[in-house]
Each structure stands twice: as C-alpha cells, then as structure tokens.
Amino acid sequence: MCWRSTGRLTPAHRARRLPADTPKRPDPEALLAAANKAGRGRLKVFLGMAPGVGKTYEMLRAARRRKAEGKDVVIGLVETHGRRETESLLRDMEVMPRKPIDHRERVVMEFDLDAALARRPKLLLVDEYAHANAAGSRHPKRWQDVEELLAAGIDVWTTLNVQHLESLVDVVQRITGVRQRETVPDNALSRADAIEVIDITPDELRERMAAGKVYVPETARLASENFFKIENLTALRELALRRAAQTVDDQLVATMREKGVEGPWAAGERILVLVSGDAMAGGLVRTGRRLSDMMMDAPWTVAHVDRPDRPPPGPAGAARASDALKLAEQLGGSTIVLTGADVVATVMAYARRNNVTQIVIGKSADSRWRELLGKSLAPALLREARGAAIHVVTEAAHEAVVEPPRPRSPAPWMGYLTGAGFVAIASLFAWGLDIAFDRVDLGMIFLAAVLAAGVLHGLRPALAAATVAFLVYNYLFLEPRHSFAIGSPIDLLTLVVFWAVALASGGLAGRVRDQGRDAQRRASAVSALLAASRVFSAAAGREAAARAIAEQAAAAAGGKAVVLLSHNGELESAAGAPSLDALDATPMAAARWAWEKGEPAGFGTGTLPQARWTFWPLDGVRSRAGVAGIEAGAMVPGSDTERLVLALLGQGAVALERAELATEAVETETLRRADRFRSALLNSISHDLRTPLSTVLGASSTLIDYGKTLKAAVRDDLILSIREEAERLNRYVGNLLDMTRLEGGALRLRTDWTDVRDVLGAAAERVTRRLGERQLVRDYPGQLSLVRVDGGLLEQAIVNILENAIAYSPSGARIEMAAYEDRANVVISIEDEGRGIPATELEGVFEKFRRMEEPSDRSQGAGLGLSIAKGFIDAMGGRIAAASPIHDGKGTRMLISLPKAVVTPHHLL
Amino acid sequence: MSISRPRILVIDDEPQIHRFLGPALDAAGYEPLRADAGQEGLRGIALWSPDAVVLDLGLPDMDGKDVLIRAREFYEGPILILSARDREAEKIQALDNGANDYLEKPFGVGELLARLRAALRQRASARAPAGPIRSGDVEIDLDKRRVTRGGAVVKVSPKEYDLLARLALGHGRLLTHKDLLVAVWGAAHATDTQYLRVFIGQLRQKLEDDPAQPKIIETEPGVGYRFISD
C-alpha cells in the first residue's frame, strides 16, 4: 500500500483554526445525532484483547457497585464458564432465566430478549457482544438484540474481544491464523457511549492460562496454542488499546462538533473504494474502513460500477458485490452504484464531483493479461487521477474463491457443426470455381464462410471454422496442392487474416447478442413495470390493490407472494399469489417487524432470517400502507429480478395508498351528504314550526298592543290568521307524529270494506278552505268495487297528496281527482297543473323532508306529506307512484292503486 | 297618511308576516311598505328610499345576505335582520356586512318596534352635532377624551377609552366582536374575543352600578355588545 501523507494537524494548526472569541455554530449533524441518542439507553463495552483477561469479572464487579448504590441492575446473560470467582459475583443479583431454543435437535439456552424488554431494568448486563444467536432467534446476532434494547431506552453493559471486530477480521487472521466467525460491525462499537479496556500484560494472561483460569472454547482448542503466543497477544493488545483510543478520539471529535468547536476533523479527506464482483470485494471494504479510521473518520464510500455494455456477472459475482455494499453499510460507509461503460471515466467523474482524495482498488491475479494490454484499471486511474492517492490492494491467496462455471449457451457443438458446414460449402463452391475458371482468388470464399460462422455463432466456432477453412484451403488450393505444407510465407498471412476476421466478427456478434439479451431483459422489466402500473391504477379499493400487488410480485419473482394489510391495528394477510396461504408464526413475526420498523425482515435480512419468507414494508408517499412478502428461494438477493420486484412493490405501495385515500374520500363524501341531509332536515323542521309561530306571536302581540286602534276588518283578519296558522302548526305536528308512528312501527290498521269515493269526498272536504281560487274536479264512475283498507289512513294520504297539489299549483288552476278500477285494483288518480317534477327528482319525491325548491304557497309544511302518504299506502298493501310532466311539460299525476283481493295480514305491517 | 310618517320597508316572502306586520306598523305610526322577494326589495329601497328596512334572510330568489350587501352600496338607513335562532353565524355575518340589528323569529311586535325606534334614533343622533354621549349618570366627552360618572372623572386606560368610544358612537347599535376588535386592536386580532371580555369587564367595573347586571354595556351572547345611550 502507499498513501499520500495526510498527517493530523499539529496544535499550532489548531490554534490558528480556532479564532479566540467567535462562538462557532454547532454542527447540525452532530446535534441531530445527539438528539437521536436522547431517548436511547447508554451502551458500555468492556473491551479486551483475548479471552481470559477478566472482562466479565470486571463488568460484574462494577454492576454490583451500581446495585449497592440502589440502581435497578439485572443480569440478562453472563457466561461464567464455571469460573468460581466470577460465579460468586452473581450472588444476590437478579439473573434472568434463559430461553430454550431448539437448534439442530439439541436445545440451546439463549438470551431472552422479549423477557428483558418486558422487565425493562435501568441497566442490563449482556455478555459476549459478538455472539451469534441460535437459528430461530429474532436476530441472528446478539449485537442486534442489544441494539433493540438500547432503542427501548435500556442501558446495556456488554463484553467484547477485539478480534471480533468486523474491520479487524483479516488483520487478526494474519496475526493469529484464526478466522473469526462471530463478528461485530465496527458501528456497533462506535455507538458505545463508554468503552472500558480490561488490560493485563500478555505474560500475566499466559500465567492465568497455565493456572487453568482461562476458559477456551472447544472449537478453538486446536488453534489456542497458536493463538495465545506472546507475540500474538501483544499484537492483539495493541489493537485493543488502539481501537479504544480511537473511539475516545471519535467521541472527543463528536463532542467538539456538537459544541461548535472547530477542530482537526475531516481534514478534507474523502475515500472511495471500488469493488467488483470478485473475491476481493470484502477485503477492499475493510481496507477502506481502516483507512477512514486512520484519517480521523474521513467519510468513505464504496462504489460498484455497473457496465451496461457488458453481460452481467454471474449470480455469484452479483451476490458478492451486493454483499460488499452491505458490509460497507454495516461498517459505517456509504455506498453507491455507478453506471457507465468506461470504468475509469465514470469513476473519475464521480471522484471529481465528490472531491475524493483517496481511491482504493483491488488488483486480482487474473488481470495480468489486461495489464499487458494496457487495460488494467490501476495504471489507467493513475494516469487520470489528479490529486487523488490510489491504494492498490493485492489479492490474498487464501481469499480466492472458486467461481462456479457460467452457464453456456445451449448446445455449443451446434455452432462448430454449422461452421464446418459453411467451410464444406465454401470448399465445394471454390472447387467448382477452380475448375471453371483459371486463377481465381479462392481465399475470399473461405473468408466468407468464417465470417458467417462468426456472425451466427460467436467467437469460438468462428476461430474453429477459420482454422479448418485455412487447412482445407491450404490442402486443396494452395501450392503445393494436396499437402498441408505451406508454400510461401505469404500464405501464413491468409491464416492470420482468417483468424482476425473470426476474432472481429465472432467477438462483435457475441457482444451484439449479449447486448440484445440485455436490452431484452431490460425491456421486459420495463414492460413488466408498465403492465403492473396499469393493473395497479385499475385496482379499485384496498383489497383489489393488494391482490394486484401480490399477483404482480409473484409473477415477477417467479414464486409465492403475499400482501399483508393492517386491519383494526392488526396485520392480516390480505392477498396472496398464486394462492393465499396462512403464514406460520415466524414469518408472521417477520412481517410484523417489517410493518413496525419499516425495514425488510425475514429470509436474507438481519431480522428473523430463519423465516422462509422475506418481507418488505410497503411505504407510500404519506404513510406505510402494508407489508409484502416473497417466499425464499424465488429470487437471488441483489439480482435484477429482486430489483424489479422491489420497484414493483414501490409502485404497489403508492397504488395501495391511493386506493386507501380514495376509500377515505368516498367515506368523507358519504358523511358530507349525511350532514347535508341532517341540516336540510333541521332547516325544514325549524322553518315549518317557526313560521306559523311567528305569525301567531306577531298577530296576537299586534292585537294586544294596538287592538283598540285597528279597524274591525283588520282585527278580524289578524284573529283569522292566528287560527289558520295554529291549524297549520297542528297539521305539521300531526304529520310528524304520523311519521314517527310509521317509523316506530306503532301503526295499527283498522281495515274494513271501504268505498273509495266516500274517502275521496271526505278528503276533498278537508282541503276546501285551502283551495282558494283553485278548482277541484271529481270524476268517479257510478259503480266501484269496495276495497279492504283503513279509511282513516287512506283519507290522510289523499289529503296529503291534495295539499301537495295545492301548494304547487298556481291560483286558478285545476286539480283533478278521479277513481276507476281495472281487473285487480281500484286506482285513484290526482292530477295538478303545477310546474311538475323534474325527471331527476321523480324517484326521490316520496323521501322524507324532500321539498322542491319553491312551492307557490308555502303554507304547506311540505317535505313530509308525500312520504307519509306512501308509508300509509304501503302499509295497506297498495302502491303509489308519481308521473310528471303529464301535459305541455307541466303537471303531476299521483296514482294510488289498491288491490281488490283480500289483504293478507302479513302485508299489514 | 301624512307625509311625516317614517316609511318602513318589510322584505319577507311569508305573506303571513306581512299580514300582521302591516297593520302593526300602521298602528304604531309608520307607513308600511311591502316586498315579497330580494329583487323586489332592492327595487323598493332604491325607489322609495324608506327610513328603515326590515329584511328576512331567507328569501326565495336570492340570499338575504346578498340583498344586504347590495343595499349597502347605495342605502345608508338602518336595516334590521329577521333570522332564525339556529343561524348564529349568518347573523354575525349580516351585522359585519352593515346590518344595524337583528331579531330572532318568532318575535313579538313590541320588540320589533323598540328595535326600530332605536335604529331610527341612532340615525338621528349620528347626524346631530357631536357632543357628550350620556347613559344614566355616565357621560363620555369625545372631544376631551374624558369619561365622567356622576360628575367625577373615571380613570380609563387608552384602550379602554377607545373601546368605550367605539361602543358609544354606535348609539345603541349592536357592534359585533369582530367590528370592535378590528377597530381597537387591529385586523390581526379580529378573533381574540378574550380581549373584549377582559376590557368590557373592566369598563363595567368602573361604570356600572351593578357590573353583574349591566345597564350601559349590554351583551348579545356570541354576537357582540351594544351601548345603551339615553
């Protein structure tokens, strides 16, 4: 490795950069980080260089002191490894029971996270930060458990050996030869609010080992001899101390930033790590992190360049690249995927835009021939990189990974066979030409065969065809004929030209084919997205949208998909494709996790990876609409398919949200209508009651105050108006009572054989006084069948209809009242010459409180009358209907038909 | 009919209202004029320039509020609003749009005539040359910015004085919360009715014989206040 000198700033620099009395504005990011920490529990890590230094012992002693001070201290989990001194410290302490978890046919006792969250102590002790939980736990790693505890506001103390730190894994491996499986991302340590280094000298540790005081796990016993060598321990000790010092330094810097003190942080360094899908990716990311540490936490980014002109790397490569990006995020770096055909230009454009000062690249063994061709990345970058330092990391032999062979195109021998066929045809043709003409350049014909093979079948068949073609050409047509001997050196040129044409055409064809396949794949992804968006936008309602999402996602992923929506606060499966299967407890827990935390959960994630499903939150623009799950094994993580599915889910989430909003809008509209109806009803009642009251009150008070001075005629008119209005009020109250009776089911029918003509006469009598100038015409036949009805109710219904006809007729108009019969019914018809009812209103004319805009005579408390009439007629088994307009676009006809048959009792109510 | 009788235009679509209001107004010494709809009413105001208008807010052809706004463009006389009790917001809006007072249906004729007299008097006093405004033993001298009660000077803060003067200049007219707030505290405080409660309370402590039963500054709950001048 090589790097540009960065150097920390000397105190002299600091003094210059910190003006004496200008208060500095605190760094907003630092304040934000502090605010995020506010509700969290505090994390303390007891850090050691190796097992056996006494971390757990120290932690327990400190905990006992806290408990003696009266703090609520609980031991969540402590591994004593049978050490008596440590065990004695557990006495009188509250120790939580462990939770049994079935793990490959044996029961493992694990830390019980849920019990700890329920217990909510002030301070919880959880040993062995780097521990990997047994499959079946909520999180695969214990540090994730701790993270959840901290988020819940619980203070946590834990222990950690330095060799478990993710970024140090390969360094430790170089030192000790042991590769750590249980690791903790560096972030998890940086988040610690306090670190206590438990330090003893390597000699002491070896003495303790000799005295049998150090527990060494079975698995590491073989390596332990090697591991506990003095030089190893010394190196590890240095690492532990350095890491602790660095964390202290980070915290100092953070505090200074928070307080607005300018300091020597981020000395303008920015690190860019380039990874491809090869085996070095992980190592490069770790190198980037260490480099960032050395440069006072300089921001670092891991980039992967996607080349649209290249066929995508195999699934293994894609997975490695995506793993590297994930690792970078775990280690606290940011990640980006760049797209561009020219790697160097793309990288340099990004680097210049972002002021990158350090670039880390890998140099793998297989790129040596590229180097020879001048195509190697490192020298190209070196030529281009102005001002940036380049770190080239060479591949460590042990990290090499055997790449599974890429699947080849089907039946490759077909290509060779066709190539041979082309050469055979060319030979025949050339032979014919050779006989027919003299001195023809037959090489061209063979060249055509090579070209054809290349264009149709790619590089290798083309090369093969070129070789065969040359041999045949040489044997048959070049002097000396019928021998493979080469006559003149210029003939060799023919071979070279054949090969060159094969290379060019085959390579070109191959690339065209790959690009075609690529374009096709992309086009199909785009059209899938388009099709999905059409389906989504057509989905009406939440359930339909959920079903569409499940179907589209299942089709895109090529497996099972499920969509869960929140129903009354509970997450429930709403749709599944190809079928809606019930989810087990574990996938359900993962789905709930995704819903509550808004992050992916289940298979392939950090939460509940043993679930056979992966769940993603469906985040819309305003809120989370639900959760979508894809069954494991349907698609490769990081593949194009996954990207397509995620894009689909994104679209689906918006569609789902839109459906929810639409439902809400409909509900609001319904409510608004109900509200409008209620206020219309109130207006109607208040108007119909208050207007007659106003007249009664006004006329009577006029009579009281000025009765003596009024003329007799005026006085009489006022008294008359009082009576009229009191009657009107009485009618209205009667209507309200009738309505209440109808609605309350209190209507009792007193049916008897009735002559409709008598009823019509009585009703006409009741409205005579209100007719005024209007004319009431009656038209009855001499003979009319009797019907069995309640005469009183029928009369009231007719009165209501007549009153309505009067209210809407101009003065002087005719109102026609007729009765006739057909085979089954006696029909009553009442016609007026009023304005009529618009077709749109006709249906609702019998609804309660329905009143047309403006009756010509408002003395009628309209709005209830027709609805009551309908109620009564219905109750008697009859039917009522309105027709309008009846002539010249004016007038209304009300028809009442009463059955002549005996009314059966169940029709009555 | 003598020419000196004040003419009152009643705009209402209910024939029953005209039926008793006509004779009542006539008997009380006014000349009643009748309009059954908004347009007709506006024409009536323009044609006859009545001394006062009684306007029902619920009219068949146009909204009573619009009649009020259109009328105020050319008519300065008192306008009384007839309205139902459940239309509080409508009433306040009408007052803000320039109505002088309102009456709730159903109403007694005595009350209507009293309001009508008050409104006509306001008009007369507004035209009269400025002088001290009296209400009982309280006297407000607008020229000297001085308030006396029984001859003794009452100490009022500048805001209290502004509020009192504004009320007194209404001469019995009902002033809405918004009207008072905008005039005294500015448009930014148009909804801060708590200011009014505090300051009216203070004024009543200083001016009323029994602040719990105010005689000088009357409250119209939910609408505003009126100053009862002699």
Side-chain angles (χ1 to χ4, degrees):
Chain A
M1 285 200 198
C2 62
W3 47 65
R4 216 163 49 125
S5 149
T6 56
R8 300 188 175 196
L9 289 172
T10 60
H13 281 95
R14 279 182 211 195
R16 224 178 22 246
R17 290 179 63 169
L18 187 66
D21 52 6
T22 343
K24 285 284 171 280
R25 259 181 64 229
D27 182 343
E29 266 179 43
L31 284 181
L32 204 63
N36 279 342
K37 272 191 168 183
R40 284 170 58 90
R42 295 173 62 80
L43 173 67
K44 181 172 180 174
V45 178
F46 292 79
L47 184 69
M49 60 174 165
V53 295
K55 299 176 302 292
T56 306
Y57 184 80
E58 271 310 316
M59 179 168 78
L60 283 172
R61 276 184 25 168
R64 287 185 81 85
R65 280 198 297 278
R66 283 294 172 91
K67 192 168 171 75
E69 288 163 16
K71 272 266 171 65
D72 178 24
V73 182
V74 171
I75 295 170
L77 176 138
V78 155
E79 301 285 359
T80 59
H81 301 299
R83 272 169 260 170
R84 210 162 304 136
E85 301 158 36
T86 315
E87 262 168 7
S88 69
L89 290 173
L90 287 174
R91 226 172 291 135
D92 312 326
M93 299 288 286
E94 183 182 339
V95 182
M96 286 180 38
R98 298 193 193 185
K99 182 176 163 189
I101 285 186
D102 287 319
H103 180 51
R104 291 191 196 137
E105 288 156 24
R106 68 197 177 95
V107 176
V108 186
M109 301 301 281
E110 281 285 8
F111 170 58
D112 192 344
L113 175 59
D114 289 313
L117 286 168
R119 168 65 179 78
R120 284 196 75 84
K122 182 79 197 70
L123 173 62
L124 187 74
L125 270 56
V126 186
D127 213 356
E128 295 189 0
Y129 200 27
H131 176 76
N133 289 331
S137 312
R138 175 136 89 236
H139 301 293
K141 296 294 180 72
R142 181 166 294 157
W143 64 265
Q144 290 167 314
D145 291 346
V146 169
E147 186 53 33
E148 202 178 333
L149 289 165
L150 293 171
I154 300 170
D155 290 347
V156 179
W157 286 3
T158 189
T159 62
L160 178 71
N161 284 326
V162 73
Q163 77 257 29
H164 293 294
L165 269 179
E166 179 72 55
S167 70
L168 296 180
V169 163
D170 29 2
V171 177
V172 170
Q173 184 179 14
R174 270 203 295 283
I175 295 171
T176 63
V178 179
R179 186 154 185 92
Q180 292 297 330
R181 297 281 163 215
E182 301 193 328
T183 58
V184 172
D186 295 45
N187 268 5
L189 183 63
S190 315
R191 273 198 290 268
D193 299 278
I195 292 180
E196 188 169 333
V197 182
I198 310 302
D199 185 41
I200 56 175
T201 63
D203 288 332
E204 268 178 284
L205 182 57
R206 283 184 67 85
E207 276 166 30
R208 289 181 64 170
M209 262 194 87
K213 285 180 177 175
V214 175
Y215 166 83
V216 180
E218 278 305 316
T219 45
R221 192 170 296 280
L222 286 176
S224 65
E225 272 306 297
N226 192 21
F227 188 87
F228 285 95
K229 276 194 289 198
I230 280 278
E231 55 268 37
N232 280 359
L233 290 176
T234 310
L236 286 173
R237 187 183 182 202
E238 190 194 330
L239 273 180
L241 291 171
R242 232 165 58 185
R243 183 46 65 112
Q246 186 196 322
T247 310
V248 171
D249 201 47
D250 289 351
Q251 280 168 353
L252 175 71
V253 169
T255 317
M256 286 166 79
R257 288 174 67 170
E258 223 171 280
K259 301 255 164 72
V261 182
E262 273 197 35
W265 58 83
E269 298 289 358
R270 281 182 168 274
I271 302 161
L272 180 67
V273 182
L274 295 181
V275 295
S276 61
D278 62 20
M280 295 185 65
L284 284 171
V285 171
R286 286 190 200 95
T287 305
R289 161 75 204 206
R290 282 198 300 277
L291 192 55
S292 154
D293 285 347
M294 280 182 274
M295 294 177 177
M296 313 211 60
D297 256 350
W300 60 292
T301 303
V302 176
H304 174 68
V305 182
D306 222 3
R307 295 186 59 178
D309 59 326
R310 283 293 179 84
R320 270 202 298 273
S322 110
D323 282 350
L325 295 183
K326 253 185 222 160
L327 177 67
E329 272 159 19
Q330 271 182 13
L331 292 179
S334 51
T335 59
I336 188 167
V337 176
L338 304 169
T339 310
D342 184 344
V343 176
V344 175
T346 311
V347 168
M348 284 326 296
Y350 176 82
R352 267 192 288 274
R353 260 200 321 278
N354 294 281
N355 301 321
V356 168
T357 57
Q358 312 282 333
I359 300 174
V360 180
I361 57 172
K363 182 171 181 296
S364 50
D366 67 349
S367 69
R368 209 138 294 151
W369 65 272
R370 296 171 60 91
E371 205 174 323
L372 285 174
L373 288 172
K375 279 185 127 182
S376 186
L377 189 57
L381 273 178
L382 268 175
R383 271 196 304 278
E384 291 291 322
R386 291 180 205 95
I390 310 266
H391 307 254
V392 182
V393 180
T394 50
E395 184 173 23
H398 60 264
E399 269 194 304
V401 175
V402 182
E403 176 115 7
R406 284 184 59 192
R408 301 200 165 184
S409 50
W413 48 267
M414 269 297 290
Y416 296 102
L417 212 63
T418 331
F422 285 143
V423 175
I425 294 166
S427 311
L428 277 174
F429 191 47
W431 184 64
L433 282 178
D434 194 42
I435 292 169
F437 305 96
D438 203 25
R439 298 199 60 80
V440 188
D441 191 356
L442 300 165
M444 302 295 281
I445 293 164
F446 285 94
L447 200 60
V450 172
L451 195 66
V455 167
L456 288 179
H457 293 286
L459 189 58
R460 282 158 210 260
L463 280 175
T467 313
V468 173
F470 176 72
L471 289 177
V472 173
Y473 177 49
N474 186 21
Y475 186 79
L476 293 181
F477 304 110
L478 289 183
E479 300 298 336
R481 292 200 175 198
H482 307 293
S483 126
F484 288 112
I486 290 164
S488 73
I490 206 79
D491 292 342
L492 269 180
L493 189 65
T494 313
L495 179 62
V496 171
V497 169
F498 276 23
W499 274 343
V501 168
L503 269 175
S505 67
L508 210 63
R511 200 188 278 189
V512 165
R513 215 175 30 243
D514 285 345
Q515 278 176 350
R517 207 181 295 136
D518 222 35
Q520 200 181 6
R521 214 184 45 237
R522 257 164 245 197
S524 71
V526 167
S527 62
L529 274 175
L530 271 176
S533 79
R534 264 198 304 277
V535 174
F536 288 154
S537 60
R542 261 174 115 208
E543 277 67 30
R547 214 160 34 243
I549 294 169
E551 278 162 12
Q552 295 295 327
K560 282 187 180 177
V562 67
V563 173
L564 296 98
L565 300 177
S566 161
H567 186 73
N568 295 334
E570 264 302 304
L571 205 57
E572 285 175 6
S573 302
S579 60
L580 179 55
D581 305 331
L583 292 175
D584 297 338
T586 316
M588 211 48 215
R592 239 172 259 130
W593 181 274
W595 168 253
E596 279 159 20
K597 308 273 168 170
E599 55 188 42
F603 180 78
T605 68
T607 307
L608 293 164
Q610 72 274 17
R612 295 300 301 155
W613 290 77
T614 313
F615 291 93
W616 287 274
L618 292 170
D619 284 327
V621 181
R622 293 195 325 174
S623 60
R624 190 159 304 135
V627 172
I630 305 284
E631 198 177 28
M635 56 192 187
V636 183
S639 63
D640 282 349
T641 316
E642 195 195 45
R643 275 199 291 278
L644 173 62
V645 169
L646 291 183
L648 272 175
L649 293 183
Q651 261 189 0
V654 175
L656 199 54
E657 194 181 51
R658 202 178 42 221
E660 273 173 15
L661 285 177
T663 317
E664 251 174 59
V666 168
E667 274 167 15
T668 316
E669 174 59 24
T670 315
L671 269 180
R672 220 163 50 90
R673 264 197 218 144
D675 212 46
R676 249 197 338 247
F677 175 73
R678 252 199 308 280
S679 87
L681 186 146
L682 258 176
N683 271 343
S684 164
I685 294 183
S686 103
H687 177 269
D688 290 342
L689 287 176
R690 198 169 277 134
T691 310
L693 275 175
S694 286
T695 313
V696 170
L697 195 59
S700 58
S701 57
T702 307
L703 282 170
I704 292 166
D705 292 348
Y706 304 101
K708 293 191 183 86
T709 62
L710 290 174
K711 284 187 208 118
V714 173
R715 211 164 49 219
D716 289 350
D717 185 55
L718 285 180
I719 294 168
L720 194 66
S721 81
I722 291 173
R723 193 184 79 179
E724 280 172 11
E725 292 305 286
E727 279 173 352
R728 177 172 156 192
L729 204 56
N730 186 38
R731 269 200 313 278
Y732 188 69
V733 171
N735 272 350
L736 277 178
L737 282 176
D738 283 344
M739 200 70 230
T740 318
R741 279 218 307 262
L742 263 175
E743 296 210 319
L747 197 64
R748 290 279 172 273
L749 293 178
R750 285 186 301 271
T751 51
D752 200 355
W753 292 107
T754 311
D755 186 339
V756 168
R757 288 171 297 190
D758 295 344
V759 178
L760 290 177
E765 191 61 37
R766 273 175 60 185
V767 298
T768 314
R769 214 149 42 80
R770 274 196 303 284
L771 272 175
E773 303 288 306
R774 300 171 192 88
Q775 230 189 319
L776 183 61
V777 185
R778 304 170 205 203
D779 177 12
Y780 313 143
Q783 282 284 318
L784 196 67
S785 299
L786 297 182
V787 284
R788 247 183 100 78
V789 293
D790 183 324
L793 290 189
L794 181 60
E795 183 186 316
Q796 185 59 50
I798 305 283
V799 165
N800 284 359
I801 293 171
L802 283 176
E803 278 178 342
N804 208 59
I806 292 167
Y808 287 94
S809 303
S811 188
R814 270 163 62 99
I815 295 172
E816 214 176 289
M817 187 160 75
Y820 52 92
E821 64 184 306
D822 57 23
R823 266 195 314 193
N825 302 295
V826 170
V827 180
I828 301 164
S829 153
I830 296 166
E831 288 180 23
D832 65 49
E833 294 179 342
R835 245 189 340 201
I837 305 166
T840 49
E841 299 274 322
L842 213 50
E843 238 172 71
V845 79
F846 296 111
E847 277 172 24
K848 258 180 297 174
F849 299 103
R850 178 65 69 121
R851 173 157 53 190
M852 290 192 24
E853 263 318 293
E854 188 45 38
S856 55
D857 171 5
R858 282 172 65 166
S859 65
Q860 159 76 1
L864 274 180
L866 288 184
S867 132
I868 290 167
K870 179 174 164 55
F872 285 175
I873 303 289
D874 285 350
M876 291 185 288
R879 292 184 55 197
I880 184 165
S884 179
I886 46 175
H887 36 66
D888 302 339
K890 287 204 300 184
T892 306
R893 179 187 296 133
M894 291 284 177
L895 288 171
I896 299 171
S897 69
L898 299 164
K900 286 195 267 189
V902 175
V903 178
T904 49
H906 76 267
H907 278 136
L908 298 186
L909 284 175
Chain B
M1 285 183 207
S2 92
I3 197 82
S4 63
R5 293 213 309 168
R7 291 178 307 170
I8 312 292
L9 174 64
V10 180
I11 308 174
D12 198 319
D13 62 321
E14 291 284 345
Q16 305 291 357
I17 301 283
H18 291 294
R19 197 165 162 193
F20 72 83
L21 216 44
L25 285 170
D26 187 46
Y30 299 101
E31 185 185 340
L33 303 168
R34 172 175 175 165
D36 291 311
Q39 287 296 349
E40 197 186 330
L42 280 171
R43 255 200 316 279
I45 297 173
L47 217 61
W48 303 317
S49 57
D51 293 276
V53 175
V54 177
L55 172 67
D56 185 10
L57 284 184
L59 292 174
D61 60 336
M62 59 190 286
D63 194 336
K65 276 170 295 183
D66 296 333
V67 177
L68 175 66
I69 293 166
R70 298 263 298 275
R72 272 295 174 234
E73 286 166 9
F74 59 88
Y75 179 70
E76 288 177 347
I79 300 180
L80 258 70
I81 300 297
L82 296 180
S83 130
R85 191 193 301 267
D86 49 347
R87 305 274 182 88
E88 189 107 303
E90 218 172 61
K91 273 182 323 219
I92 295 173
Q93 204 186 348
L95 289 168
D96 282 333
N97 284 338
N100 291 60
D101 212 332
Y102 73 88
L103 266 177
E104 276 173 3
K105 280 183 176 178
F107 55 90
V109 168
E111 196 185 354
L112 171 75
L113 293 174
R115 291 282 167 87
L116 210 51
R117 277 195 300 276
L120 287 167
R121 201 169 49 236
Q122 280 165 33
R123 189 130 186 263
S125 38
R127 281 193 196 138
I133 300 165
R134 287 193 188 78
S135 175
D137 59 349
V138 174
E139 196 177 290
I140 301 155
D141 191 332
L142 294 170
D143 292 336
K144 297 178 181 160
R145 284 180 72 89
R146 200 174 62 178
V147 182
T148 57
R149 182 179 173 197
V153 173
V154 180
K155 282 185 86 174
V156 290
S157 75
K159 276 273 183 276
E160 283 171 4
Y161 177 81
D162 288 347
L163 180 60
L164 185 61
R166 177 82 195 172
L167 276 166
L169 279 170
H171 291 287
R173 182 178 159 200
L174 174 57
L175 297 167
T176 61
H177 294 147
K178 188 179 160 197
D179 188 0
L180 293 168
L181 283 164
V182 171
V184 179
W185 281 276
H189 296 282
T191 56
D192 296 334
T193 48
Q194 71 275 15
Y195 288 19
L196 280 179
R197 291 190 218 302
V198 171
F199 278 81
I200 295 283
Q202 286 166 1
L203 281 173
R204 280 175 178 162
Q205 287 294 335
K206 292 176 183 177
L207 304 180
E208 299 275 5
D209 289 333
D210 178 4
Q213 286 180 324
K215 297 265 180 335
I216 299 171
I217 303 171
E218 272 185 5
T219 304
E220 281 288 339
V223 182
Y225 299 93
R226 83 171 90 233
F227 183 89
I228 307 298
S229 55
D230 290 345

